[in-house]
Amino acid sequence: MHQDGDVILGGLFQVHFFTVFPDLSFKTEPEPPYCEKFDMESFQLAQTMAFTINEINKNPNLLPNITLGYYLYDNCVRLGMAFRAAMSLISGTEKSFSNLNCTGPPPVVGIVGDPSSTPSIAISSVLGLFRVPIVSYYATCSCLSERKKYPSFFRTIPSDAFQEMQLFGHCVAFSEILPHYNNPRDIQRIIGMIQASTARVVVVFSTSSFLLPLMDEVVLQNMTGRQWIASEAWADSPVYHTPRLLPYLGGTLGITVRRGKIQGLHDFLLHIRPSNEPRNSMLRIFWENMFGCSYETGATVKDGEQVKNICTGEENPIPTNTPYTDVSALRGAYNVYKAVYALAHALHDLMQCEEGRGPFSGNRCADITKLKPWQLVHYLQKVNFTTGFGDHVSFDKNGDALAIYDVLNWQPSSDGSIRIYTVGVVNEGATTGVVLKLDEDAIYWNFETKKPPRSVCSESCPPGTRRATRKGLPVCCFDCLPCGDGDISNTTDAIECTTCPDEFWSSPDNNQCVPKEVEFLSYEEPLGISLTTASLLGTCFSGLVMIVFAHHRNTPIVRANNSELSFLLLLSLKMCFLCVLLFIGRPQLWTCQLRHAVFGISFVLCISSILVKTMVVIAVFKSSRPEGKGAMKWFGAVQQRCTVLLLTALQVVICAVWLSSASPTPHKNNHYIRSKIVYECAIGSVAGFSVLLGYIGLLAAVSFLLAFLARNLPDNFNEAKFITFSMLIFCAVWIAFVPAYVSSPGKYAVAVEIFAILASSFGLLVAIFAPKCYIILLHPERNTKNAIMGRETQNK
């Protein structure tokens, strides 16, 4: 089919289904192949291109003073035929080459077609070398978007890449390839896979013919309860709209090429007559197929059917009901319409160029009389217009049109078959991206609930858990594992758990971070209450002993045991008991600084008093013998006080140096227990703390050694035995303290230190003063000088 014009557009259509190749034997002269099985719908597409060009020629605002013409070829659904047709279009006829200088416009400035992807790939590979623009209305292969391979290819139908579900983050439970031939084993295997899967939504990318065997098996197996999603290749195929398939395919959702309306097309199609174009052989073929007649006189058979009439060319097409006259769902025709208009708008923009402001080298414009195909490609890439139906048309950098689909729903009709309804649209805007609009109330769901099915492999993981993919299964099949301690997830289907900040911990549900519990040895907890009580009891006992000794200060047993050092020792023990209170409660700077200082000074005062008492005992014993009569002059009251003060002052110096150089401070420790903050006093300097303890240990060791050496003195000087026993307890407690302190976490380390202070203090108090209080309070008859000296007299 052709029509002359100033500028010619080419078109490729599948007007016939099959190509018949004649006998190529040497018996007869070979004949060219010919096409058969006329397709009414495809002929409607070809006529739509003719209509569109006529509409453009009548539009004074588009390509004024330019008449468009066309050459339309039939490819017969054959690659070879399509390629021959394309080469014929760009080569032109002999008449076109009468000018040997090849001046003037090319035979065609652009081609609408081919409708299939394979011929489009072959044609574009060759014509792309010459930058001849090609605008396909049906080729969907995503490979055609490769601009380097196909630099002049455009299309008004969305690429197949738009239907790849992975772009939208959906999970594919299984993937199978439909066999090209009806292989029962493959079909049954695929059906088994569908039945075994937890997926209730089945998406099928297929042509109608390849899907038919699978649907037959679906009916045979009575497999209901599946939501079918149809690709655009079979979403509106009438072959499935039968009552037999309604229980299984009812409710199917599919996307298909956008349906449009073209005003005036229906009248144009009905007013075509072969008599108006006697040279158009294609119209004669169409007319014969339309009315079942023949122009050949005497013909009796056509396409296997008896021909009853001779075509007159004046038959009335209005009463006929064929795909050619049906304009209720213009999909392919609407794409052809947009493709022709895209080329027309590109030509129009090209002609509007002002010389000196053009897009080509030297700011030149293209000359319509000497048009180069690549110049039209430049303008076609920038096409931007809106159809009369309201759809926006433009091309991206790959030549693809913005994706636009109708969403179809298969619903039962009154006669028990399937009827298709449009329930939405998928539209890709240049700025808005992909937008899906659905009329959800209009969708028919083929389920008892009349609601969309739930199709999941695993239920969503709640907050507080994370997804763990099951090995060998799709990513939508997973287990929900709880987040570990200190980790949370506060969203559904979290891939990973998030670790809480240092001072926070996970809630019991692991769905939020909460402040960590601050732990320290408090006065409110049972352990703190017990230790506080023991401290106060020790203080009270020390006070009671001081009262007893003060009340009986003139009795022999008090005076014989150096009452001044005894009172000093009781005072220091009282301080030892009271210093425990500095270890209990929320650590503060002043308590951290004082607790070890007061502890160290109190114990040094205590041990130095015991040391001096021990030395006095030894001196008294020696002075009772002739060879040691002058020993006591070195251990008078002044010397005793000075010795105690000197030894204590040294500990004061140690504490002062420690506090001034690396003072203990409150510290929040996260290392002992990850779920809690242990609030403790950091000692600041390990060396300072070690020297403090070491000095106490040194004095205790010396006291123990001297008391041990004096343990066998006569009974009237038997305080050395009590001192030996008390220092043995003291040393045992503090030797055991070191490993217990190091191995105890958090507040329990503080409790161990307090226990050591209390145990050693009680040990000194009981071992040294309990025997004396026993005699003073319970056996006053023994609290006499004779009683104390009696055993010595007997010995003499």
Side-chain angles (χ1 to χ4, degrees), residues 474-509:
V475 294
C476 56
C477 298
F478 49 82
D479 294 315
C480 298
L481 301 182
C483 294
D485 293 338
D487 296 339
I488 67 157
S489 65
N490 54 12
T491 59
T492 302
D493 285 333
I495 302 299
E496 294 180 349
C497 297
T498 305
T499 302
C500 290
D502 286 342
E503 295 193 0
F504 291 83
W505 194 249
S506 54
S507 63
D509 295 330

Side-chain angles (χ1 to χ4, degrees), residues 361-611:
S361 67
N363 295 327
R364 290 181 298 174
C365 295
D367 186 354
I368 192 67
T369 62
K370 301 178 181 179
L371 182 63
K372 305 295 189 296
W374 60 268
Q375 294 173 323
L376 184 58
V377 170
H378 171 82
Y379 283 96
L380 191 59
Q381 186 71 62
K382 299 181 180 299
V383 156
N384 193 332
F385 67 95
T386 302
T387 68
F389 189 56
D391 290 331
H392 180 73
V393 179
S394 64
F395 301 105
D396 63 13
K397 62 181 181 180
N398 297 319
D400 292 326
L402 294 175
I404 182 168
Y405 292 98
D406 284 335
V407 181
L408 305 181
N409 183 222
W410 294 14
Q411 302 184 11
S413 62
S414 58
D415 60 358
S417 62
I418 294 175
R419 186 175 179 182
I420 293 181
Y421 289 86
T422 301
V423 294
V425 62
V426 181
N427 201 346
E428 181 184 24
T431 57
T432 59
V434 178
V435 177
L436 171 63
K437 295 181 180 179
L438 284 178
D439 183 2
E440 297 186 17
D441 295 333
I443 299 177
Y444 169 74
W445 302 104
N446 193 23
F447 298 92
E448 292 182 1
T449 60
K450 302 303 179 184
K451 294 181 180 180
R454 183 165 180 80
S455 180
V456 296
C457 180
S458 301
E459 294 294 336
S460 296
C461 291
T465 63
R466 65 175 179 87
R467 288 170 45 169
T469 304
R470 297 175 186 170
K471 188 176 182 181
L473 295 178
V475 294
C476 56
C477 298
F478 49 82
D479 294 315
C480 298
L481 301 182
C483 294
D485 293 338
D487 296 339
I488 67 157
S489 65
N490 54 12
T491 59
T492 302
D493 285 333
I495 302 299
E496 294 180 349
C497 297
T498 305
T499 302
C500 290
D502 286 342
E503 295 193 0
F504 291 83
W505 194 249
S506 54
S507 63
D509 295 330
N510 294 101
N511 58 1
Q512 61 178 335
C513 290
V514 296
K516 285 183 178 179
E517 177 186 349
V518 178
E519 182 183 78
F520 56 87
L521 187 61
S522 67
Y523 288 104
E524 289 79 15
E525 61 181 301
L527 181 59
I529 294 173
S530 301
L531 295 175
T532 302
T533 302
S535 171
L536 295 177
L537 286 175
T539 304
C540 293
F541 288 155
S542 299
L544 288 175
V545 173
M546 289 182 70
I547 293 172
V548 170
F549 268 52
H551 184 69
H552 298 87
R553 62 184 176 277
N554 295 320
T555 61
I557 198 168
V558 175
R559 296 179 62 186
N561 288 281
N562 198 327
S563 59
E564 185 175 346
L565 287 178
S566 296
F567 282 112
L568 187 60
L569 177 57
L570 287 171
L571 178 62
S572 63
L573 284 175
K574 203 170 188 178
M575 291 176 59
C576 290
F577 284 118
L578 288 176
C579 78
V580 166
L581 300 179
L582 294 174
F583 288 82
I584 304 174
R586 190 181 189 90
Q588 300 181 37
L589 180 61
W590 68 272
T591 57
C592 289
Q593 291 176 336
L594 286 180
R595 63 170 54 170
H596 287 109
V598 172
F599 153 72
I601 294 171
S602 299
F603 267 88
V604 166
L605 181 60
C606 178
I607 301 302
S608 60
S609 299
I610 293 174
L611 176 61

Side-chain angles (χ1 to χ4, degrees), residues 751-763:
V752 167
E753 189 170 0
I754 293 174
F755 180 79
I757 293 172
L758 292 176
S760 57
S761 299
F762 273 112

Side-chain angles (χ1 to χ4, degrees), residues 662-693:
S663 174
T665 55
H667 172 64
K668 293 181 178 180
N669 196 323
N670 294 319
H671 302 296
Y672 292 134
I673 307 173
R674 290 182 59 224
S675 61
K676 297 179 181 180
I677 295 176
V678 177
Y679 208 8
E680 61 183 7
C681 288
I683 60 175
S685 172
V686 177
F689 187 53
S690 301
V691 171
L692 181 144
L693 290 180

Side-chain angles (χ1 to χ4, degrees), residues 126-144:
V126 176
L127 299 193
L129 299 175
F130 306 98
R131 299 299 192 272
V132 176
I134 303 169
V135 186
S136 177
Y137 52 91
Y138 255 162
T140 59
C141 180
S142 58
C143 60
L144 287 164

